[in-house]
Amino acid sequence: CYEHPDAQDTLPYQRATFARPQYHFRIDHMFYSYEYFKLISLLDPLSKSDCLLSLGSNLEDRSLGLPNQIVPSDHLPIGACFRINKQQYQKQRQQSIQTSVNSSHQL
């Protein structure tokens, strides 16, 4: 599983985002542009005790699954907090505006 280097200072990634007995997969993803966003933190939707009850004690344990009494879905929520790179964002925005202005003058 790939984890962006910025994630090293955040909570560890979830073992699975989809879990059924015998099948645990990380199938839900969030894509972002490192150029415009800096990852600050990752959502950890389950406490350690809820994770044990829902996903088992280790990566090889696939006997448990979702939904259950803790998680009403077969997918765990994913989420993250980002910091916007304002300088890069404003630069890109200015370029987009300029491109749009240039295009309208060509008509």
Side-chain angles (χ1 to χ4, degrees):
C1 174
Y2 172 76
E3 205 173 344
H4 193 279
D6 260 8
Q8 69 186 9
D9 296 328
T10 65
L11 297 169
Y13 65 86
Q14 200 49 253
R15 290 188 353 217
T17 61
F18 170 83
R20 301 288 298 164
Q22 306 304 317
Y23 302 99
H24 288 194
F25 301 111
R26 247 179 263 114
I27 60 174
D28 300 292
H29 303 281
M30 187 177 295
F31 297 98
Y32 68 99
S33 171
Y34 183 70
E35 185 177 7
Y36 300 108
F37 300 97
K38 173 151 176 63
L39 179 63
I40 302 302
S41 64
L42 298 173
L43 172 69
D44 193 3
L46 297 177
S47 67
K48 287 188 180 198
S49 61
D50 287 348
C51 187
L52 285 172
L53 291 171
S54 299
L55 301 176
S57 60
N58 60 54
L59 292 174
E60 286 76 37
D61 184 359
R62 304 250 193 265
S63 62
L64 300 173
L66 304 173
N68 63 18
Q69 68 276 14
I70 298 164
V71 181
S73 173
D74 58 359
H75 288 259
L76 290 172
I78 63 171
C81 291
F82 297 94
R83 181 177 297 128
I84 297 172
N85 180 339
K86 289 181 184 178
Q87 292 173 331
Q88 191 63 28
Y89 175 77
Q90 288 171 342
K91 179 181 172 184
Q92 177 63 33
R93 186 169 177 223
Q94 191 62 36
Q95 288 173 347
S96 295
I97 291 170
Q98 189 61 44
T99 300
S100 182
V101 168
N102 291 342
S103 294
S104 65
H105 287 306
Q106 291 176 354
L107 296 174

